[in-house]
Amino acid sequence: MLELAGIIVLGIFAQWLAWRTKVPAILPLILIGLIVGPISTFFTHDGEKLLEPLLVESEKGTTGIFPGKYLFSFVSLAIGVILFEGGLTLKRKEIAGVGPAILKMITVGSLITFIGAGLFAHYIMELNWAVSFLFGALIIVTGPTVIAPILQNIPLNRNVSTVLKWEGILIDPIGALVAVLVFEFIRSAEGGVEFTSHALISFFQILLIGLAMGAVAGYALYQFIIRDLIPHYLLNVFTLAMVLLIFVFSDVLAHESGLLSVVVMGMVLGNMDVPWLKEILSFKESLSVLLISILFIILAALINVDDIQIIISDWRALGLFLSITLILRPIGVFLSTRRSDLNFREKLFISWVGPRGIVAAGIASLFGLTLTSENPPVEDAEFLVPLVFMIVLGTVLINATTARFIAKVLKVTLDSSEGILIVGANGASRIIGQYLQGRNRHVVLIDNNESNVKKAKDENLEAYNVNIYTDDLSDQFELLDMGYMISMTSSADINTYAVRKYQKIFGENGAFRLLTPDELKRGREELPQQGIFSYTDDFLNLNEIARDFPTVHELEVNAKEDIERILDRTAVNTHTAPLFLLSPDGNLEPIPHSLDDYECEEGVKIVYLGRKLEKPSIQEVMGE
C-alpha cells in the first residue's frame, strides 16, 4: 500500500514540478523513477531498489508490486487509454487545414525518421532489422506534452509555432499507429522479418480486426450518446469501460490488436459531431495525467543498472543519438518544408526542436517488456527500452535548456505580440473581430456558448469553445501571440475575472473590458481611467447596434476637437458606437478615457460600429 500511494504522490508531485519549472512533465517523471529505481540501488544497504515494480522472491522475502504478467497488463491498459485520448484529438479537418508543410512533416518527415532511424540502429548499434525498425517507428513521435512547455515559454513567431504545434498534435497518434503496426508484424513473424505466409496472414488479421473493432466501437459509442442511452453522469466512466472492453475483446480475437483498436476508436469518435465530446476529452485528459504519472515512474524504476550501462559504456549509443538529432531530424524537416513559406532560419530552429515524448517512452516500455518476455526472447529486444529512453531524455533535456537561446540566435521569436483575444463571441464581438482580422491582425474569439462559437467559425473567424473558469487558457497553442485582450461578454463578473486572471499573459499591450450597466449610468469622470473598451456603450447597447447596423466604418478626422464632438454626439444616440482610433501607420487603440494626452496626427481615423455617417451629415453630427 505504501508503494502504491508513494507512486501516485510522487507522480503528481512531478507533474506539479513540471508546471512550476515549465519543463515537459516526462522529464521529472522519468528522473524520479530512475532515482527510486536503479539509482537507489547504490544507496540502499541491501542493494535493492526503493521501488520494485515486479514481484521478486528473495531470501529476505517478497518485494514488488505486480506479480508475473500483471505489470504487462496494467501497462497495456494504461497505454490503451492514453492512445484513445490521442485518437480523439486527430481530426480530418485539422489535417486538411494545416498546410502542405505540416502535412509533409507528418508524412514525408515521419517516413524519413522511420527508415533513417531503423538504418542507423542497425548499422551503428548492430541491432537486428526487426528491432531496428521498431525503434525507428517509436521515435517518430514528438507529442504535444513535450512541445507545449517550449511553445508556452518562448515567444516564437507564428510560422514556427504553428508547424511545431500541429506536428506534435498530429504525429502523436500517427506515430503510435506506425509503431503498433511494426510491432504487430514482428509478433506475427515471431520475432523476425521473414515474409512468410503465416506472418503476413497474422499481420493482416491483426490489422483488419483492429481497424474493424475500433471503427465499430467508435460508431456504437456515438449512437449510444446521441440516442441518450447513457445518463450524463455515467458518460465518462461508460466511455472508459467501453475502451477497456474493446481493448481486451480485440486482443482476444487477434493477439496484440487492442492498441490499434482503441486508436481507431478514438479517431472515429473524435471525427463525429458528438455531444459532450469536450467533457469526454477533458475526463480522458485528467485520467491520462494520472496514468502517465504512475506509468512512467514504474517504467523508469523497472530499468536496471545493466540497462543504463548499455547506454553509458557503449559509444555507439551516443553516435546513434547524435545521428538522429543532428542528421536525421534536419533532413526530415528540410525535405518536408521545401517550397514552403518558412525561411532558412525557421527551418533550422524546427530541426533543432524535436523532443520525443510520453507515447514513445510508454509504448517502448510496453513492447520491450513483451518482446523480452517471449520464450525465447526476441533477439536484441533488451536494447529497445534503454535506447528509446536515451532519445527521450536527451532530446527533452537539450530542447528544454537551449531552445530559448537558439530561438534568439536564429531570430525566430516575435518582435511583439500583436494578436487580439476577444472573450465572448456574441454578435458585436464577431463584427469587431472581422474588422480587426481584415486589418491583418490575428484574432481569436473564445466563448462558452457553442452556438456563438459555431457562428464565429461560419464567419471565418478563429473561435474556440472555452469555459473561462475551468479551462486553462495559458495552455492554448492558438493564443501564443496574443498581446491584447478584450473581454466583452454579457456577464460583468466574467469580464472582470478574465481580465484579472489573464491580463499578464495575453494583455501585455492592453487588457480591456466592457462597462457594466451601472457604470454606464455614472458620469464619465467617475469611470476607471484605464482598461475599459468603449466608454459610451455597454454589452446591450453594442449588440443592439450590431443587430441593426452590423458594419464597422472608418471616418477621418482633422483635429482632437473633432473626435471629442463625435464622441459627445454618439454617446447619446442608439445607432453608432465609437470603438478605436486608427493612426496613419495602422496602429489601433480603444477610445481612451480622456483625450487630454492624445496627440492627433494628420490622417487619424475614428473607427465606429453602426450606421454609416454620410459625408453630407458629418457636419450635423459634429454639431456644426
Side-chain angles (χ1 to χ4, degrees):
M1 185 170 66
L2 179 62
E3 288 180 318
L4 285 173
I7 292 171
I8 295 174
V9 171
L10 287 174
I12 301 305
F13 170 74
Q15 294 279 357
W16 176 83
L17 188 63
W19 171 75
R20 289 293 298 175
T21 56
K22 306 298 183 184
V23 299
I26 194 172
L27 184 58
L29 282 170
I30 292 179
L31 290 177
I32 288 175
L34 291 174
I35 290 170
V36 299
I39 295 176
S40 68
T41 60
F42 295 104
F43 306 104
T44 55
H45 67 280
D46 53 5
E48 294 184 356
K49 297 177 182 177
L50 288 175
L51 175 64
E52 178 58 68
L54 282 171
L55 208 60
V56 177
E57 296 283 350
S58 66
E59 296 178 357
K60 300 178 181 179
T62 303
T63 59
I65 302 173
F66 296 95
K69 291 191 175 182
Y70 283 100
L71 175 60
F72 168 78
S73 300
F74 170 75
V75 173
S76 298
L77 292 173
I79 293 293
V81 173
I82 293 168
L83 291 185
F84 172 73
E85 186 217 328
L88 283 174
T89 65
L90 189 58
K91 307 294 179 74
R92 289 192 309 270
K93 61 181 180 181
E94 291 177 346
I95 296 176
V98 294
I102 302 170
L103 280 174
K104 289 179 182 177
M105 287 280 288
I106 64 176
T107 51
V108 176
S110 295
L111 185 62
I112 290 171
T113 301
F114 172 55
I115 295 174
L119 293 173
F120 282 143
H122 178 72
Y123 288 109
I124 295 177
M125 293 298 297
E126 299 180 0
L127 304 180
N128 68 57
W129 285 111
V131 173
S132 294
F133 281 109
L134 180 56
F135 170 79
L138 286 167
I139 64 166
I140 287 174
V141 179
T142 54
T145 55
V146 287
I147 289 292
I150 294 172
L151 296 183
Q152 289 162 8
N153 292 286
I154 304 174
L156 299 171
N157 68 42
R158 188 153 181 79
N159 281 345
V160 173
S161 61
T162 299
V163 170
L164 288 174
K165 165 207 161 182
W166 284 110
E167 181 198 18
I169 290 175
L170 298 176
I171 212 168
D172 212 344
I174 289 173
L177 193 59
V178 173
V180 169
L181 292 177
V182 174
F183 174 72
E184 306 305 358
F185 186 78
I186 293 175
R187 291 298 304 277
S188 63
E190 297 181 351
V193 290
E194 297 83 4
F195 291 93
T196 64
S197 59
H198 171 72
L200 288 174
I201 290 172
S202 298
F203 173 71
F204 283 111
Q205 183 182 27
I206 290 167
L207 188 63
L208 180 62
I209 290 176
L211 290 172
M213 289 294 297
V216 170
Y219 183 74
L221 183 56
Y222 168 71
Q223 290 295 326
F224 283 144
I225 295 173
I226 64 171
R227 295 175 185 273
D228 290 326
L229 298 177
I230 309 169
H232 188 264
Y233 77 96
L234 281 180
L235 180 62
N236 289 328
V237 290
F238 186 93
T239 302
L240 174 62
M242 194 161 180
V243 169
L244 298 178
L245 172 64
I246 295 305
F247 181 93
V248 173
F249 186 59
S250 179
D251 210 56
V252 170
L253 295 179
H255 193 48
E256 302 299 342
S257 64
L259 290 175
L260 179 57
S261 294
V262 295
V263 172
V264 173
M265 179 181 174
M267 291 168 61
V268 169
L269 195 65
N271 282 280
M272 291 182 170
D273 188 16
V274 181
W276 308 309
L277 179 62
K278 187 177 178 182
E279 292 184 28
I280 295 173
L281 187 55
S282 177
F283 171 72
K284 288 293 177 290
E285 287 174 349
S286 299
L287 185 60
S288 292
V289 167
L290 179 62
L291 288 175
I292 286 167
S293 302
I294 297 172
L295 195 61
F296 282 96
I297 288 180
I298 288 177
L299 294 178
L302 189 64
I303 296 176
N304 296 316
V305 175
D306 293 340
D307 297 327
I308 298 176
Q309 289 177 342
I310 289 176
I311 306 302
I312 296 176
S313 62
D314 195 338
W315 65 267
R316 296 177 303 173
L318 178 61
L320 178 64
F321 176 79
L322 294 176
S323 299
I324 289 170
T325 55
L326 300 182
I327 298 175
L328 200 57
R329 173 70 175 174
I331 289 174
V333 170
F334 275 84
L335 287 180
S336 301
T337 56
R338 288 180 61 199
R339 300 176 184 175
S340 70
D341 294 334
L342 296 169
N343 61 41
F344 178 79
R345 290 178 287 103
E346 290 170 339
K347 294 176 184 178
L348 205 57
F349 181 79
I350 294 170
S351 299
W352 180 251
V353 178
R356 270 55 180 186
I358 281 168
V359 171
I363 299 180
S365 299
L366 174 60
F367 292 170
L369 194 64
T370 305
L371 297 178
T372 54
S373 64
E374 294 286 316
N375 190 16
V378 174
E379 182 185 359
D380 295 333
E382 69 275 10
F383 287 91
L384 191 63
V385 173
L387 286 177
V388 171
F389 269 64
M390 173 194 71
I391 299 294
V392 170
L393 280 175
T395 54
V396 170
L397 275 171
I398 288 175
N399 292 154
T401 55
T402 65
R404 180 178 290 274
F405 172 75
I406 298 296
K408 288 182 178 179
V409 170
L410 295 177
K411 298 179 180 179
V412 296
T413 54
L414 290 170
D415 295 329
S416 61
S417 299
E418 296 297 325
I420 301 169
L421 173 65
I422 300 179
V423 182
N426 50 75
S429 298
R430 298 196 299 271
I431 293 170
I432 293 169
Q434 286 178 324
Y435 168 78
L436 294 171
Q437 190 167 270
R439 280 266 166 195
N440 297 318
R441 303 294 288 272
H442 178 213
V443 180
V444 176
L445 282 71
I446 60 173
D447 200 308
N448 192 38
N449 186 310
E450 292 186 8
S451 176
N452 283 345
V453 171
K454 185 178 184 304
K455 289 176 183 177
K457 290 181 177 179
D458 291 341
E459 296 170 11
N460 296 318
L461 289 165
E462 189 174 348
Y464 299 94
N465 185 218
V466 169
N467 186 324
I468 199 77
Y469 289 116
T470 60
D471 294 324
D472 190 356
L473 297 182
S474 60
D475 292 338
Q476 299 287 332
F477 294 104
E478 296 80 8
L479 308 180
L480 293 172
D481 62 344
M482 297 294 108
Y484 295 88
M485 180 179 182
I486 306 174
S487 189
M488 46 190 308
T489 73
S490 59
S491 169
D493 290 338
I494 290 178
N495 292 338
T496 303
Y497 175 83
V499 169
R500 185 177 68 248
K501 183 174 182 181
Y502 291 113
Q503 63 179 335
K504 291 183 180 179
I505 302 174
F506 305 121
E508 60 183 84
N509 298 327
F512 308 91
R513 65 170 176 84
L514 291 179
L515 289 172
T516 67
D518 288 339
E519 287 176 324
L520 192 61
K521 295 175 183 177
R522 303 175 192 169
R524 194 180 183 95
E525 65 280 356
E526 299 180 39
L527 298 176
Q529 297 191 8
Q530 294 180 336
I532 298 299
F533 180 74
S534 180
Y535 281 93
T536 56
D537 297 273
D538 63 1
F539 176 87
L540 185 60
N541 292 352
L542 282 172
N543 277 275
E544 284 181 347
I545 294 171
R547 180 195 61 202
D548 297 331
F549 306 98
T551 309
V552 174
H553 304 282
E554 298 174 356
L555 175 64
E556 186 170 340
V557 292
N558 300 314
K560 187 188 301 185
E561 291 73 21
D562 296 340
I563 301 175
E564 290 175 339
R565 291 192 187 101
I566 293 175
L567 293 179
D568 289 340
R569 289 293 182 178
T570 56
V572 295
N573 69 39
T574 58
H575 50 72
T576 309
L579 302 175
F580 305 101
L581 291 175
L582 175 63
S583 63
D585 62 2
N587 183 54
L588 279 163
E589 62 175 294
I591 305 293
H593 178 271
S594 171
L595 295 174
D596 292 343
D597 298 326
Y598 180 74
E599 295 184 6
C600 185
E601 305 175 62
E602 184 178 350
V604 167
K605 296 179 180 178
I606 186 166
V607 179
Y608 63 93
L609 170 68
R611 189 168 65 187
K612 186 173 183 179
L613 302 175
E614 301 295 341
K615 285 190 175 182
S617 64
I618 291 175
Q619 300 299 323
E620 179 184 349
V621 171
M622 293 170 58
E624 299 179 358

